[in-house]
Amino acid sequence: MASRQEAEDRSEAGSINLDDYADSIDTATFEQILEMDEDDPGNNGEPFSKGIVYGFFEQADTTFTKMDAAAAEGNLDELSALGHFLKGSSATIGLTKIKDSCEKVQHYGARKDASGNNQIQDDQVCLNEIKKILKDVKREYAEVEKILRRYYHDSV
């Protein structure tokens, strides 16, 4: 199991201290993923956590493509489901800003306000809010992807 010190040592060459990005990455949650790392020669020497994180990158890219299509079609139900899906995936690895934005997409897709407490009757209002959030969450994702690729010493 990788300790926090081992994770810091691994990141040292990339000059990434995840605590510097606490507004985007919940380090306590991410450290739980890092605890699964083992030196496994069957994994080409790659940390287990890297596979989880890079799997999320692929999943996010695919989900954003589906969200764009659902937004173009005005399919709020699909947007809510996709927001819920990506919210869970991002929460698992501690990507707080992405999680929060996806939760808003989920709520607006369910015809509720950002908090999920109040019903919204106008589908177009919900769709417009989702389109704004999608721009923000894609920017947030690009920032976090860059940070985590540097953490694992890969280029963006």
Side-chain angles (χ1 to χ4, degrees), residues 42-102:
N43 196 25
N44 296 325
E46 295 289 343
F48 182 76
S49 64
K50 184 176 179 178
I52 293 172
V53 171
Y54 281 53
F56 171 79
F57 294 160
E58 292 174 15
Q59 190 177 72
D61 288 337
T62 300
T63 304
F64 287 139
T65 299
K66 290 178 181 179
M67 285 177 155
D68 288 339
E73 296 168 2
N75 188 338
L76 292 175
D77 294 331
E78 179 70 4
L79 285 162
S80 182
L82 291 167
H84 176 75
F85 173 73
L86 198 55
K87 176 187 76 171
S89 299
S90 57
T92 298
I93 58 175
L95 306 182
T96 52
K97 280 186 179 180
I98 296 171
K99 174 191 68 82
D100 293 345
S101 293
C102 288

Side-chain angles (χ1 to χ4, degrees), residues 9-47:
D9 290 346
R10 181 175 59 234
S11 179
E12 194 171 294
S15 300
I16 294 290
N17 179 354
L18 293 178
D19 290 331
D20 293 341
Y21 304 98
D23 61 326
S24 298
I25 301 170
D26 177 23
T27 53
T29 302
F30 193 75
E31 285 174 5
Q32 290 177 345
I33 301 298
L34 295 177
E35 289 175 4
M36 292 187 258
D37 286 349
E38 296 178 12
D39 292 330
D40 180 4
N43 196 25
N44 296 325
E46 295 289 343

